[in-house]
Amino acid sequence: MTGPSLMDSLFQRTLEDLIKGLRLHLVHESTFISKSLDEIRREVRSPDLDTKAAAVQKVTYLRSLHGVDDSFAAFPAVELAASPRFRHKQIAYLAASVSFHSATAVLLLLTNQLRKDLNSSNEFEVSLALQCLSVVCNLDLARDLTPEIFTLLSSSKQLIRKKAIATILRVFGEYPDAVRVCFKRLVENVESSDPQTVSAVVSVFCELASREPNSYLPLAPEFYRVLVDSRNNWVLIKVLKIFANLAPLEPRLAKRIIEPIGEHMRRTGAKSLMFECIRTIVTSLSDYDSAVRLAVAKVQEFLVDDDPNLKYLGLQALSIVVPKHSWAVVENKEFVIKSLSDTDPNIKLEALRLVMAMVSEDDLSEICRVLLNYALKSDPEFCNEILGSVLATCSRNVYEIIIDFDWYVSVLGEMTRIPHCQKGEEIESQLIDIGMRVKDVRPELVHVGRDLLIDPALLGNPFLHRVLSAAAWVSGEYVKFSKNPIELMEALLQPRTGLLPSSIRAVYIQSAFKVLTFCLHSYLFAKEAVASSSSCAYDLESGASDSIPEKGCPEGSNLATSEALASSEQNEDFNRSFLCQSVEDNCTENDGDTLVAPGPSSSSASLNKLQFTRGSIINLLDLIKTALGPLAGSHEVEVQERAWNVLGLIKLVEQEIQDTPMQNEGKFVMEELKASEIMKLMHDAFFGELGPVSKSAQERVPIPDGLMLKENLNDLETVCGDVQLPSTCSFSLGKPHFEESSGSLFDFQKKEELEPSSESTSMLAEHRKRHGLYYLPSEIKETTSSDYPPANESKLAISVSVSDDVDYLVKLTEQSLVPKKKSNQTKPRPIVVKLDERDGVRIAANKPESKNDLISGAVREVLLGNEGIPTSSQGKHFDKLSSKTRGKEKIAIVQPLGSTGLLANAGNSELANSSPRRSKHVSHGKEKKPRSPRNNAEGCEERSYRDKKKGDHRHVKNKARQSADGGVNVVAQTPVIPDFLL
Amino acid sequence: IHFVLLISRQGKVRLTKWYSPYTQKERTKIMVMNAQLAQVIRELSGLILARGPKLCNFVEWRDLKVVYRRYASLYFCMCISQDDNELEILEVIHYYVEILDRYFGSVCELDLIFNFHKAYYILDELLIAGELQESSKKTVARLIAAQDSLIETAKEQSGSISNMIVQATK
């Protein structure tokens, strides 16, 4: 490629030089490139074409491999394309196809050159132009060059014809009106004798049909013939793809193609064709059992093959088939499970998806165990994939498939301990969610939470911090189920919590607050209670779980009291001499003095009661003070605030507790009244029930009469600023300094919290029947009250009695539930109605993309209604003109229709189109006018067939009529349709 | 087929060909497009080169699939839609390589580096608008040879002309 003798080109760097230079300058590549670019910039302006060609070639190279900006070379490339020499053209078109795009300004200049080359007698020039056009095509080019391509579609040279066919795909995409001109000829090519041409046409239709299959149904007979006759695998694959798109639309079509597809499957040795057959069957023909069986049998062959590709594809095919035929996977279960340990991550992933697709209530725990074992063994990435999918599957539809929640909670705990676990966030939300939704699992939840909190190793893993936060929240919230609150407190305040981010520390401290409240409360009330013979030994399982949630806070506190009663009784009676074996945890904390003396082992085993002594409480307080003291000066507001809350509470009660002389313990001590009152309030405040809340719950609260929303909100803000925190979160339970205000605070929060989400309600409704006892009892009580105090009043009234509060809440939820249900039904209703209509499918398909709509509309028109256009090849120009104007009209019509989503826009547009046609072809117009509506009917013939089989007769008549006066092509096509489809 | 990509083992790009407009929105902004393409290439080469030899040849990427095949030190990658046939694409790749091989006579990476335009031309004969065009190796070879001869004759002519010019300017 040595340059010619002109001076500037003598010293030009050739492409080879450039490449060599690049390879030498590995280090300073970019400077070398910019230097060469400068050179090239100069060279492309050279009048000598060879120089220019070399420069353009170089810049193309740089562009395609190094991504440099080559817009400066665009115009020279166009110039070069005009060169008479083939080599220059080649370079120029290559440059154009690499670097031009539809917005390049110089494309306009290229139009003429392309046209000239498309008309060239040299087939290679034509093919160059076509190749270039297929890449750079834009609306203008497509519009201007459609006639040329139309001519080339029937070129005698195979090379050109097939390239023209392929190019038409892009042209259609840019300029749908070209369909009217070219479509017929395109269809003719299906019957071409040349396999390459057929292949090209089929490829084009494959692409078109994948976008909008409806319009191509009438061509099914042609494709069917190809499917039966062709022995070319490339073509067969494409035809199968077409049928995969068409078959779902026309059941009878599916019936017809099953036979040949099965035939191909038995005959072929080509894996690619085999796979395509399988895929066609599993995607589109899954209703035909025999075919599916055959396909699954072939899939099994794939699965046992050594080739990982086939394995992968086999698994993929299975995952397509699984929603409808789960037996297919069950048959291959063993293999699928084995694939989980495949070396290839893709295969593993696919197998995982399959495994998750086949879980059911029965084998869930088994599968989860297997998966978790795999998760333990596998690399971090896949491990998390497994965990993620297990979590997602189990939580699907509000834990639909889970029966044993105790088990699931412990699985969540296990997951956390898998070393690579990074799903902290998901586990966190599920822990809390389950805690709120599933009442019976709470003891286990607290247990799991305790295990997590106690383990200091977990604190080091930042991914697990969220889980820990959930665990902290859970154990704070449901501390009453805890076997050993003091141990819990220890865990919450252990020094390594310093590793946690401040937001989670805040949760920890808040939980510590709750635990402390609980401990103090039980302690104080235990003391208040005179040693009585309360024989009502509530045990946790029956007493606590039954009574608490049903009635909410007051009961909860009562219960706690009675629990404390029971415990204190034991405390008092048997106390102190026994150190039972279950104390070991406590002992770590208490330095061995008098401290915790749980009941005798016999009763403690059955009762799991909590016992506190003065000493233990004081120790607890000390512990908290030492742990939180430093935090009171923390820079993190959340942490600091909460630390102060806790310390403040301690200050309030500490004095009295310490002053109480030991010997007074047994008696009723009046001085303690203040402290115990405080504790009672705090306790009541915390032990309200938290339920799941839907996001829109707030909106659904009806505004009571006489409630001036704005006014009151202003009031609220001044009274208590932080009520508005999201209530489902783990920490927002309020942290009042003053118990006076706390009443109103909690009232408002609980009002939000207690409303169950309507979604979950409806979703759970059915499920509840089966597993009723695992769920919260539905909040709707028999109380059908009419009016309740408006919010602002209740604020005042709240401090009067807590039990009123609950009733009030129940009423509130009940009232708010009623409108919810209504809205649930009325809202989706219109959509559903719309979907039931006949053309729903088409609307859905048409709506998203108006361009496809245009193409398919045009195709439909060509296929069904274009008899009106006289032999288009002769009257090419006229035809083009008319089609253009028509097209414009059509765009104008279709687009507004499409945007508003009205029905039957295809039909409408055809109607509209028939009018200009009428005016242009007057002779046809007369016949046409009355018939056009029927054309529409035929346009959606498939559907009408399906909907009303009675209409068949009419359609046959229709078709006969149409083919009688239709054009030649239509005659060729339509007669086949009836015997094929009927 | 959305695009064809040839990457060397070191992650160097040897050939790119885009069939679908990749960045519809950014088309007007060339630089953005470049950055995006570079991004695509980087992502993919990271994804593919990291894979061991005995794994399957398909990678899911964004919502597409990439089929790749390794020949010596070169990875041939083609990006396809979800519902395309992977095995077919593997065939296409193999087929392209065979043609290259036949054309260059046991092709190696250097051939492709120095004759990148030839590789493009051959690819263009094979695929148009992302569809397979010519399924006969012989035909492709014949076509390319014909084009080459066209170039050769043109070159000779130009050579003679330039000779004349040279003589004239002397």
Side-chain angles (χ1 to χ4, degrees), chain A residues 566-751:
Chain A
S567 65
S568 69
E569 174 209 354
Q570 285 153 10
N571 230 0
E572 244 60 60
D573 288 348
F574 316 92
N575 211 340
R576 232 153 286 164
S577 48
F578 303 109
L579 265 181
C580 122
Q581 39 289 41
S582 70
V583 199
E584 69 272 354
D585 289 323
N586 296 3
C587 292
T588 62
E589 184 250 339
N590 304 318
D591 17 35
D593 310 358
T594 46
L595 312 191
V596 178
S601 54
S602 61
S603 67
S604 79
S606 66
L607 294 179
N608 288 331
K609 283 304 164 204
L610 318 149
Q611 285 109 1
F612 304 101
T613 62
R614 213 187 69 130
S616 73
I617 289 293
I618 289 171
N619 264 314
L620 189 64
L621 295 181
D622 283 344
L623 170 74
I624 296 172
K625 272 193 285 183
T626 38
L628 293 185
L631 290 179
S634 165
H635 291 300
E636 305 289 344
V637 266
E638 294 280 341
V639 174
Q640 191 207 30
E641 178 84 348
R642 279 156 223 271
W644 270 115
N645 285 343
V646 181
L647 293 176
L649 179 70
I650 291 176
K651 214 178 240 171
L652 276 175
V653 293
E654 189 179 35
Q655 199 54 48
E656 297 178 43
I657 290 177
Q658 262 165 4
D659 288 349
T660 317
M662 280 288 252
Q663 55 270 34
N664 278 355
E665 224 174 88
K667 293 180 205 154
F668 191 90
V669 189
M670 277 308 283
E671 308 93 88
E672 281 185 13
L673 202 58
K674 190 180 155 211
S676 45
E677 210 165 78
I678 293 170
M679 287 326 299
K680 188 172 185 316
L681 272 164
M682 296 300 296
H683 188 266
D684 290 352
F686 274 132
F687 287 90
E689 189 75 9
L690 285 180
V693 185
S694 87
K695 279 174 194 157
S696 52
Q698 178 76 68
E699 300 161 15
R700 299 211 198 86
V701 180
I703 301 170
D705 295 335
L707 173 66
M708 307 300 283
L709 257 188
K710 271 182 188 168
E711 225 176 71
N712 282 320
L713 279 182
N714 286 337
D715 273 2
L716 274 181
E717 242 160 54
T718 53
V719 177
C720 39
D722 55 353
V723 191
Q724 264 76 338
L725 288 172
S727 51
T728 39
C729 289
S730 40
F731 52 80
S732 68
L733 244 196
K735 46 224 168 188
H737 287 275
F738 309 106
E739 47 286 357
E740 289 86 356
S741 72
S742 75
S744 65
L745 264 176
F746 292 122
D747 166 39
F748 276 95
Q749 281 209 306
K750 272 178 271 172
K751 188 173 72 182

Side-chain angles (χ1 to χ4, degrees), chain A residues 937-952:
Chain A
E938 205 185 285
C940 27
E941 70 187 285
E942 312 75 46
R943 209 165 285 102
S944 46
Y945 275 137
R946 221 184 307 154
D947 287 344
K948 27 177 185 171
K949 302 244 159 144
K950 305 176 235 163
D952 280 357

Side-chain angles (χ1 to χ4, degrees), chain A residues 64-79:
Chain A
S64 73
L65 299 192
H66 297 274
V68 301
D69 178 18
D70 64 345
S71 46
F72 67 88
F75 183 67
V78 177
E79 284 181 304

